[in-house]
Amino acid sequence: QVHLVESGGGLVQPGGSLRLSCAASGSIVRIVVMGWYRQAPSKERELVASITTGGSTTYADSVKGRFTISRDNMKKTVYLQMNSLKPEDTAVYYCNFWGINLNYWGQGTQVTVSS
């Protein structure tokens, strides 16, 4: 079993920055992709960014150039650096670790972008 704990959310003004962290406990040797998703009120959960074991990254068009996903294998942690935040980035952000027959989610962390 893998347990994921997110941190780093909060309230930030438009144009500000936040860094989300997702730390895993348990073995992640079978995890292939780590990702961040978000879900705004009355909207479906959407992929924000992902990173593979090989280091390949994918970003939603809405965050390209503003968000950066990275991972620290030794710490079993994935990060999401969010810059130039906009009100439309407001959502609950969830981390996800995926592998063959494996799919783990964190509890979510609230990000609110407002003046």
Side-chain angles (χ1 to χ4, degrees), residues 28-101:
I28 62 169
V29 294
R30 294 170 59 197
I31 298 300
V32 178
V33 182
M34 300 176 181
W36 286 95
Y37 290 71
R38 68 186 180 187
Q39 187 167 17
S42 303
K43 292 189 176 181
E44 293 187 355
R45 191 173 296 190
E46 63 174 353
L47 175 67
V48 176
S50 66
I51 184 167
T52 68
T53 52
S56 296
T57 57
T58 302
Y59 295 93
D61 288 343
S62 60
V63 307
K64 283 180 180 177
R66 300 188 297 122
F67 290 11
T68 302
I69 190 170
S70 61
R71 58 190 287 173
D72 184 327
N73 291 330
M74 291 296 291
K75 295 183 178 179
K76 295 190 290 185
T77 300
V78 63
Y79 304 96
L80 185 68
Q81 177 66 43
M82 305 186 294
N83 298 328
S84 302
L85 282 161
K86 304 175 181 181
E88 50 264 44
D89 294 318
T90 295
V92 178
Y93 284 70
Y94 299 90
C95 67
N96 174 264
F97 281 28
W98 181 90
I100 302 299
N101 295 319

